[in-house]
Amino acid sequence: MPLDHVKISTVAGMDRIDVVNGVVGAVLGMLFAVLFQQPLQDAWYRVRRRSTSAIRNMGRREESGPAWRAFSLGPLQTSALIVEGDGESPIPPETVHVSVLDGEVELPSDMVGWRDEITEESERLRTEGRTPLWNGPRYAVESLDISRTALEETPEVHLRLRPTDYYTFLAAQQLDRRLPDGTTPRSRYLDPDQPLKAPAFLQCSFAVNVAVVTVDDMLVISQRSDRVRMAPGVWNSSVNEGLSRHIDSSGRSAPDLYAVARRGMREELSLEPHEYSLDLLAFVLDVDRRHWSGHFYARLKELRSEDLQARMSRGVADRWEHQTIDYVPFRPATVVRYLLREDRIHRWAPLAPALFHLSLVHVYGRTLVERTEAQILRRV
């Protein structure tokens, strides 16, 4: 055989070996990447995270903080203290006990004049032919106590109320007004380290707030009218309804919080009880204004967002309370981004963001919701 032919055959054979080696190497490389690349990346990420955490913790000292903290979401800070409820497990209606105590709330002697001023203002408005201040019968919160049932350890709620009226509420809302001795109702009667303790005359407000979601998964968010006296123009829950002694108590019976929520659904959104499900998620306190709330989640059974809009176009009992209604896709990322919008973040009613967070947790679970919130906050 000629030498050149031997060389050509040898080169061709080596080329085939190189091709085979290349293919084998590529296959092994892909196999290695599939089997080991992600675990190695995860291990490297954990090492970097621990190293970063260790560096940050160098030189840190022991810290302490209050056990009770108001709801916050990154830059969104509120005064809403979630007293009971985590969103995942609704509070059973049979474990909520409401009682009404005898004796109306009385203002301290040096605050009685503030209520008289409100009465005089209302009379002046009436004399001028303008709308006077409505003085409806309300309830003040004497106390709200939480315990647990013996076996299931479900929450047992005892809400004790006292009679009051709207003028007393307006007078007591002047928490930072100076008293004759130079103190204020806030500094004299409230202890920031004990947020659940306050005299009843400073807690003349208990309302239900409802997050309403349509059958096509749209969250209803309302903007309060500029005509309302308290918190005009802020963005709020789908439904907000205060307890009324005249409407919500028949005779001397205590009000039913579910019935109050259903009344709000009917008066503000024209919805009837058979059209939705209703769950009580939490009891929440606005520690700044001393407003109590029962936070509810309502899911419409058949009505879509456009159906609800059409329903409301045909008449709503309390239309004047809202000036705008937004419909937001009820998904964790969408709702959280909406809460943090530049034109919303500083215009929320204090109790609303906690309500929407708890409603998301109720539907999607705490793990998913908090993971989504953390991802969005990292980009803020």
Side-chain angles (χ1 to χ4, degrees):
M1 179 182 299
L3 183 59
D4 291 342
H5 181 72
V6 173
K7 289 181 179 179
I8 291 173
S9 299
T10 301
V11 171
M14 292 178 66
D15 289 342
R16 285 194 295 270
I17 293 173
D18 290 341
V19 171
V20 172
N21 288 340
V23 172
V24 172
V27 172
L28 291 175
M30 293 176 60
L31 183 62
F32 179 84
V34 171
L35 295 178
F36 300 107
Q37 184 176 9
Q38 190 61 48
L40 287 173
Q41 288 180 348
D42 293 343
W44 174 239
Y45 172 75
R46 287 193 295 270
V47 169
R48 285 194 307 165
R49 185 176 60 182
R50 291 172 182 171
S51 300
T52 302
S53 178
I55 293 172
R56 288 176 179 173
N57 289 331
M58 289 178 64
R60 293 190 65 178
R61 300 179 180 179
E62 292 183 1
E63 298 178 0
S64 64
W68 294 88
R69 300 189 65 175
F71 176 83
S72 63
L73 190 61
L76 175 56
Q77 305 289 316
T78 77
S79 53
L81 186 69
I82 301 175
V83 177
E84 177 59 40
D86 62 1
E88 290 190 308
S89 302
I91 300 173
E94 63 273 13
T95 66
V96 178
H97 310 282
V98 183
S99 58
V100 179
L101 307 178
D102 293 330
E104 290 203 16
V105 164
E106 294 185 3
L107 290 168
S109 59
D110 48 7
M111 292 177 62
V112 171
W114 300 359
R115 188 183 186 282
D116 294 339
E117 292 173 1
I118 295 168
T119 304
E120 293 170 2
E121 179 188 357
S122 183
E123 288 303 316
R124 177 178 56 79
L125 292 172
R126 189 189 307 276
T127 302
E128 296 173 353
R130 300 160 63 188
T131 303
L133 300 176
W134 171 79
N135 187 27
R138 298 165 65 93
Y139 285 111
V141 177
E142 176 76 18
S143 64
L144 188 144
D145 298 321
I146 310 292
S147 60
R148 289 289 185 270
T149 58
L151 298 179
E152 295 84 2
E153 294 191 356
T154 54
E156 194 90 23
V157 181
H158 293 271
L159 173 62
R160 297 177 181 85
L161 305 172
R162 282 195 183 277
T164 188
D165 60 24
Y166 189 62
Y167 285 5
T168 301
F169 163 73
L170 291 178
Q173 281 294 284
Q174 303 176 69
L175 286 164
D176 298 308
R177 181 175 175 177
R178 292 292 177 184
L179 294 161
D181 64 356
T183 65
T184 66
R186 189 185 304 280
S187 64
R188 182 189 290 185
Y189 298 108
L190 299 178
D191 182 351
D193 294 327
Q194 300 187 59
L196 301 185
K197 291 186 177 181
F201 70 85
L202 289 185
Q203 303 190 129
C204 294
S205 175
F206 191 104
V208 299
N209 282 274
V210 188
V212 177
V213 177
T214 63
V215 74
D216 57 339
D217 292 319
M218 300 296 284
L219 174 64
V220 180
I221 300 178
S222 66
Q223 184 184 25
R224 288 174 61 82
S225 170
D226 288 332
R227 295 178 56 192
V228 298
R229 186 176 180 94
M230 296 301 298
V234 302
W235 291 89
N236 201 11
S237 55
S238 315
V239 169
N240 171 264
E241 192 65 55
L243 268 64
S244 167
R245 280 194 289 138
H246 175 67
I247 302 174
D248 299 315
S249 298
S250 56
R252 294 179 59 86
S253 65
D256 178 347
L257 300 186
Y258 277 80
V260 178
R262 287 190 287 268
R263 177 168 68 83
M265 296 283 282
R266 181 176 61 256
E267 293 180 358
E268 297 185 19
L269 297 179
S270 291
L271 293 168
E272 297 301 327
H274 68 274
E275 296 182 299
Y276 54 85
S277 60
L278 192 64
D279 290 310
L280 174 58
L281 302 183
F283 287 90
V284 183
L285 170 65
D286 175 0
V287 293
D288 183 48
R289 307 305 301 179
R290 305 306 303 182
H291 296 181
W292 282 92
S293 171
H295 276 14
F296 284 83
Y297 169 80
R299 171 80 181 189
L300 304 191
K301 297 178 179 179
E302 296 181 358
L303 294 180
R304 300 165 299 173
S305 56
E306 55 264 36
D307 300 326
L308 181 58
Q309 294 178 66
R311 171 78 62 84
M312 295 177 68
S313 72
R314 295 190 286 269
V316 180
D318 286 345
R319 181 183 298 279
W320 62 272
E321 292 189 8
H322 300 156
Q323 65 186 34
T324 308
I325 293 182
D326 281 358
Y327 298 86
V328 179
F330 189 62
R331 295 187 293 273
T334 309
V335 173
V336 172
R337 291 193 186 99
Y338 183 90
L339 289 171
L340 299 175
R341 270 174 47 173
E342 290 186 5
D343 59 341
R344 295 286 186 275
I345 192 168
H346 300 300
R347 299 186 64 194
W348 285 109
L351 297 171
L355 169 65
F356 298 141
H357 165 82
L358 291 169
S359 298
L360 288 171
V361 169
H362 181 61
V363 174
Y364 293 99
R366 180 174 298 278
T367 300
L368 175 60
V369 172
E370 292 192 346
R371 182 190 302 132
T372 301
E373 291 170 346
Q375 290 172 347
I376 293 174
L377 290 175
R378 281 197 293 268
R379 303 186 182 98
V380 172

